[in-house]
Amino acid sequence: WLINHLLQVYGWGYNGNGQLGLGNNGNQLTPCRVAALQGVCVMQIVCGYAHTLALTDEGLLYAWGANTYGQLGTGNKSNHLSPVQIMMEKERVVEVAACHSTHTSAAKAQSGLVYMWGQCRGQSVVLPHVTHFSCIDDVFACFSTPAVMWRLLSVEHEEFLTVTESLKKEFDSPETSDLKFRVDGKFIYVHKAVLKIRCEHFRTMFQSYWNEDEKEVIDVDQFSYPVYRAFLEYLYTDNIDLPPEDAIGLLDLATSYCENRLKKLCQHLIKRGITVENAFSLLSAAVRYDAEDLEEFCFKFCINHLTEVTQTSAFWQIDGSLLKEFIAKASKYGAFKN
């Protein structure tokens, strides 16, 4: 499977049950575009034994392929050679998964509810069914035979911590830190050695004649507390967890500190959290921070949801020059043909 930067989905390989979504069940030797998904922004694709699920940027779920156990969630057991939308009780889906061995599907909604359908301990569940779980992994651990996990699971002894786990544990720890950042009146406890190893900005700061090298407390006023804390935590964990709006601030920081990998992570996070309401604000930020890939993604999202986006307050509060540029570019894409 391939999702390219133009938001088109391609499939190739074995297709005996229509799992490529091409409208037939013939094998495909070269990549072929899934025409039924044209114009839809697909964020995630997962595969079961012979069925496929796709999650869009709007939280909509599509399925196709084999359906012997109801694993498509269509309410019946008929195979589908092309993508069909699966109704999730008006829920916005944020994550999907499929089990290869037991023809089981699962999804997590924005509300936190976890759904499952397909083969369930020998029974067939043909529609998405709400479970009491809070994690998709638990669906497969409980209902699959044999029990499996969707994600890799570490089985290290609890008393043993890896270097990575130890670093995570010591982030923002007053007991071992040798430096504090004060942001919005709050302290964040860190270690100079870790910052120097992980970030060129801090390496320069602490190995030169900067005044900060002699300080035990450094004040930060150009970034908010959530943004700066997320940045420092990233240096310890290699991960970020922020809402899209705060990720814009982190993107600004990553640009200022020349942290290219963090910049890419921010762009990915923003893409997953884009909505009609914040799309134009995110587009503006992508232009401001010279994030070309993100800019193209946000632009295409705005084009695909043009009517809704133009009715938001963010659209009309945007800088005039950017608005003119957007309208000119949208016109070239044929957005105003009708």
Side-chain angles (χ1 to χ4, degrees), residues 199-201 222-223 227-228 230-232 234-235 240 242 246-267 270 289-291:
C199 178
E200 186 64 33
H201 172 83
Q222 64 268 49
F223 302 105
V227 166
Y228 212 76
F231 167 59
L232 294 174
Y234 158 77
L235 297 181
I240 56 174
L242 281 173
D246 284 336
I248 288 294
L250 190 56
L251 178 61
D252 180 20
L253 187 154
T255 303
S256 299
Y257 286 12
C258 299
E259 288 287 333
N260 292 328
R261 183 177 181 276
L262 178 58
K263 191 173 178 178
K264 290 179 181 179
L265 287 176
C266 289
Q267 293 182 51
I270 293 167
Y289 301 130
D290 196 29

Side-chain angles (χ1 to χ4, degrees), residues 131-151:
T131 71
H132 64 279
F133 302 123
S134 59
C135 175
I136 280 182
D137 299 293
D138 293 338
V139 171
F140 305 115
C142 182
F143 294 134
S144 297
T145 306
V148 297
M149 295 296 286
W150 185 56
R151 275 177 273 257

